[in-house]
Every structure is written in C-alpha cells, then in structure tokens.
Amino acid sequence: MPSIAQTLKQAVRTRYRRRANGGLDNLELRGSNYGALQLYRKQTASPTGIMTPELRQALQNSFGNTVQAPVIDYENPTLSNVRTCAVQVGGLNSKLVVFTFATIAFGFPMIPSQHINNDISYEDTFYRLFEARRLKTMEFLDTQCIDHLELAKNQYYPAAITAYYPEVADALQVPDSERKEFYNYIESILETMDLGGTPDVLTNPMAMADVRAIEGAGTTDDGDLSYVLDGVGQFFRSNRILPGTGNRATMYLVADGAVGLETRVDPDCARGVVHGGADNPVREWTTQDVPGLGTMGLFYRADCSDQSAPLAGQNLQALTRTAVESYEWSFDVCFVKAYNSDEAGRYFPIVKVEQKAAA
C-alpha cells in the first residue's frame, strides 16, 4: 500500500529562552521565604547590635586562627546599711568567648562542547545549576539560623513570666483564644525581663494571617486591633519553622542585638590567584558577591576530560578529550549570640512562643 509516512513533519519544537519571570519551567526554580537568615542579616548590620566592627573584622580575617572575645560575668553585689572601716571585698569574673566556623561549599562542572547541537545553551545550563545551589544554600543557612535560635532561647522562666502564660520546654504556651491579644503582651513580657525595645519576630507563615488581620486596623469584625503591635518590631517568616504537634504557630521573639552571623573566605580567594594567565586561566581563585549570601570565594578550574561515555546519549561519544570547566563557591559561616553568664538563672533576649491549635 502506498504510504507517505516517512515524510511526516518532525515535531514542532520551540526555542528555550530563560526568563526572569514566567516561562514553562518557571516553577521548577522558585525560592522560598528565608526569614531566619534575613533576621540574622538585619541584626548583624544593627549599629547597636553585638556584631561590632572590631568583632566582624576579626572574624573575617581569622582563617587559620582562633578568635576570642573577652566578656565580664554578671555580678550580684551585696548592699549594706552600715559604714565600716574594713577593707571591702568583691571583684569581677572575666571569660573568653571562642567563635566557631563551619564551611559551606557548592559547585558544578561545565562541558562547553555538549551544547553545540542542543536547544539548551551553555548560559542556560550555568544559570540553572548555579541558581539551584544558591537557593539550596540559603535554605540551609535559614535552617541553621533557626537551629541556633532554638539552642540559644531563654531558659529562665520564674513566676513573673509564667504569670503571663505557662511554659513548657522553654516555650511560652499561648492558647488559641488569646493568639491575637498575645501581641499586646510582648512588650510587657520583655519589660518584666528587663529587655526593652521592640523585638524582631520570626515565625511560620500561618501566624502571619493574624498579623495581617491586626494590621488591617478597623476593617475586621474584631475592631481596631492595631495597638497590639505597638511593642513589636519587624516580622520575619520561614517555612523552616515547624510548629510541632498541637501548635498552630511557633515563633521566636528576638531582641535587637541578640544574634548575628559573619562569613569569611579562604586566603587564596581573598588575595586572588591566577595560574595560566589572566585572559585564559587554568586555575583561578577569586571572590564573588552572591545575591542573598554575600561575598563568597570562587575557585575556577579548566581541564581536559574524556566525556565520551556520559555524552554518548547526545551523539557526542567522540568527545574523548574535551574541555571541562569546574566552578566551586565557598565560605565559612559563624553564628553569634549575646553572652549570658548564667543561662539557667538569667533572662536571655530570645523567647520561644508556641501558639496552641484550637481544641
């Protein structure tokens, strides 16, 4: 039987175009809310915070060395109602706080020749590989900030604080019926702890529904509730905040100057090194400002590699000595909290709160 099957038109294919917004695969590379990381960045930059210019410079330049900061413990002196000629007693206890860094690195290879007959360009591949790792690093750091807050949270809950709300596992327990009015008590709770100012609040997205309702002053059935936010600073939200069983929301009240973070790069990247010539380096150590992460060290390597086997599916099995490029970004991160000489017996400016789910 006659047939024209062999001359059927080929599949219609559009060109791949990377877009800043939109595009068929736009949702495959979407960011999240990194509120914990943003909170740490904000407090690190605070002129009244714990991250003084001297401390930040020491941490940035500490590769291969240990940074120590002197502190003085709280003293609870005894007062007298009698004058005496006896020699007075007393004195200070000083300590050294030591800071710890952890390394974070990510990277990928690039094979320029695999794009010679492909709708996905070298630039498209580089962008997707880099952006996926950048977002993953921000998510990781956001989680690390939350873990740091959890470990540093206030552990001292005398009757003066539990008079507001009960405490379980170092977290205030706010009943569902009071979850909006609770914001009105934040300033009073911190004043009771001798911690003035308006704290930053980190929470999971669900808690922000109440905040938006409160901010819509006079537009809800509850009336004008805007006053309850007068004692609260900036809100931050993160999907890495997990409320836990029985809770509607979990949040951390973080007084200004309670936390901070600093990063450093390795000395080769910091000073800049090129092997093979500046125009066509075989090895290069440099720095790069990465959005959302700050300055990172970048190590670039150009090499030759047999890619015939992995690229055989692209009909490129002849690439037995093709050019390969390697990129690696890295930095060291240090999380910092305010010093507390007696964690079990003195208030600390990070208060964990759990808003209970409706019964």
Side-chain angles (χ1 to χ4, degrees):
M1 176 181 292
S3 173
I4 60 173
Q6 293 191 26
T7 54
L8 285 173
K9 288 185 177 180
Q10 298 296 308
V12 177
R13 180 184 296 180
T14 63
R15 294 183 60 187
Y16 185 86
R17 294 187 180 275
R18 174 165 49 90
R19 293 172 171 268
N21 296 297
L24 191 61
D25 59 359
N26 184 57
L27 294 180
E28 295 301 304
L29 196 64
R30 62 186 185 273
S32 181
N33 43 24
Y34 310 103
L37 178 58
Q38 293 166 357
L39 186 154
Y40 271 67
R41 294 286 192 195
K42 171 182 179 286
Q43 294 213 357
T44 297
S46 173
T48 59
I50 59 176
M51 302 297 289
T52 63
E54 180 184 17
L55 177 58
R56 295 195 66 182
Q57 184 175 20
L59 292 172
Q60 291 169 7
N61 300 328
S62 65
F63 200 95
N65 208 337
T66 299
V67 177
Q68 298 175 330
V71 293
I72 298 175
D73 286 351
Y74 167 77
E75 183 186 12
N76 187 15
T78 301
L79 303 180
S80 173
N81 60 359
V82 177
R83 297 184 185 90
T84 175
C85 65
V87 175
Q88 295 295 301
V89 297
L92 297 175
N93 289 319
S94 64
K95 301 283 179 59
L96 287 174
V97 176
V98 180
F99 300 90
T100 302
F101 280 87
T103 299
I104 301 175
F106 62 83
F108 50 83
M110 292 293 297
I111 307 171
S113 290
Q114 74 172 324
H115 301 281
I116 60 172
N117 189 29
N118 202 291
D119 285 332
I120 304 299
S121 69
Y122 178 99
E123 292 76 16
D124 293 331
T125 299
F126 187 97
Y127 171 79
R128 291 299 293 256
L129 291 173
F130 174 77
E131 191 67 1
R133 286 154 181 78
R134 184 185 74 88
L135 295 177
K136 185 69 174 183
T137 303
M138 291 183 65
E139 180 180 325
F140 176 78
L141 286 175
D142 193 63
T143 300
Q144 294 296 302
C145 289
I146 294 170
D147 292 343
H148 188 249
L149 288 175
E150 178 65 22
L151 291 174
K153 66 182 182 296
N154 181 63
Q155 302 176 28
Y156 181 53
Y157 285 96
I161 303 302
T162 55
Y164 291 98
Y165 299 102
E167 168 266 328
V168 174
D170 296 328
L172 293 178
Q173 307 294 297
V174 177
D176 179 69
S177 60
E178 299 181 34
R179 69 175 196 251
K180 290 184 179 180
E181 186 62 21
F182 154 75
Y183 295 102
N184 185 42
Y185 284 100
I186 289 178
E187 185 174 5
S188 297
I189 292 171
L190 293 184
E191 286 179 347
T192 303
M193 302 170 72
D194 289 328
L195 299 170
T198 54
D200 293 320
V201 180
L202 173 67
T203 187
N204 57 304
M206 182 175 285
M208 295 305 296
D210 286 339
V211 175
R212 288 189 292 270
I214 293 170
E215 289 175 336
T219 63
T220 71
D221 294 337
D222 295 322
D224 190 346
L225 295 176
S226 59
Y227 71 92
V228 306
L229 297 179
D230 288 346
V232 184
Q234 187 173 347
F235 283 92
F236 297 86
R237 57 191 182 275
S238 171
N239 287 342
R240 266 60 62 189
I241 295 282
L242 304 178
T245 304
N247 300 323
R248 179 180 181 274
T250 292
M251 63 185 63
Y252 296 88
L253 313 179
V254 187
D256 184 44
V259 296
L261 67 82
E262 193 55 73
T263 62
R264 69 185 182 193
V265 299
D266 62 278
D268 293 292
C269 287
R271 75 175 188 269
V273 181
V274 177
H275 288 177
D279 293 336
N280 187 26
V282 177
R283 307 281 193 278
E284 182 176 11
W285 293 258
T286 186
T287 59
Q288 186 177 76
D289 289 331
V290 178
L293 296 175
T295 301
M296 301 189 73
L298 171 58
F299 172 58
Y300 169 82
R301 173 178 177 175
D303 213 326
C304 171
S305 176
D306 181 355
Q307 295 293 319
S308 58
L311 297 182
Q314 297 177 224
N315 294 325
L316 296 175
Q317 56 270 21
L319 292 180
T320 56
R321 55 160 178 76
T322 191
V324 176
E325 298 172 318
S326 173
Y327 298 84
E328 182 194 70
W329 290 261
S330 68
F331 58 14
D332 299 334
V333 181
C334 177
F335 298 93
V336 183
K337 66 175 182 178
Y339 177 70
N340 185 357
S341 59
D342 183 7
E343 294 182 355
R346 284 180 58 76
Y347 294 120
F348 193 70
I350 300 174
V351 181
K352 184 178 182 180
V353 178
E354 293 179 335
Q355 292 183 341
K356 311 310 291 183

